[in-house]
Amino acid sequence: MMKVNAIRLGIATALGLAVIWILCVVLVWLLPGMTMAVFADMMHGKASEMVMGWHLTLSGFFVGMFAWSVCGGITAWLIGTIYNKMSSNDA
């Protein structure tokens, strides 16, 4: 069975999530009402009850992108490592 390079998978996921984060921030900036409604639906809530609204800052942009990228990268690395361990047991 084929093995995955868990480190490359983690880095690729981190970079992919950074791109998605940037696109999300652009959408929130351009279409705040629509993105609030979509977010509320994704979180099984109501946009009208989300009183805080969107709060975009430059530091929040970088912290959020870093956090999502690192967490996603570590998760993908872990999944790749577990997958490799499971596939080595098949042989």
Side-chain angles (χ1 to χ4, degrees):
M1 189 163 263
M2 186 175 95
K3 291 207 176 233
V4 226
N5 184 323
I7 292 173
R8 286 186 180 175
L9 178 63
I11 292 169
T13 301
L15 292 173
L17 285 172
V19 170
I20 290 171
W21 177 262
I22 292 168
L23 292 173
C24 182
V25 167
V26 168
L27 283 174
V28 166
W29 181 58
L30 293 174
L31 306 164
M34 186 203 71
T35 51
M36 179 66 78
V38 170
F39 175 75
D41 288 341
M42 290 170 65
M43 300 304 292
H44 309 288
K46 294 180 182 175
S48 60
E49 294 175 2
M50 298 175 69
V51 245
M52 293 176 57
W54 296 117
H55 182 68
L56 290 175
T57 63
L58 188 59
S59 65
F61 168 80
F62 286 112
V63 169
M65 183 172 61
F66 178 80
W68 277 105
S69 297
V70 168
C71 290
I74 290 170
T75 301
W77 166 80
L78 181 61
I79 290 169
T81 301
I82 292 169
Y83 174 83
N84 288 336
K85 295 285 185 199
M86 291 172 64
S87 63
S88 68
N89 290 337
D90 291 341

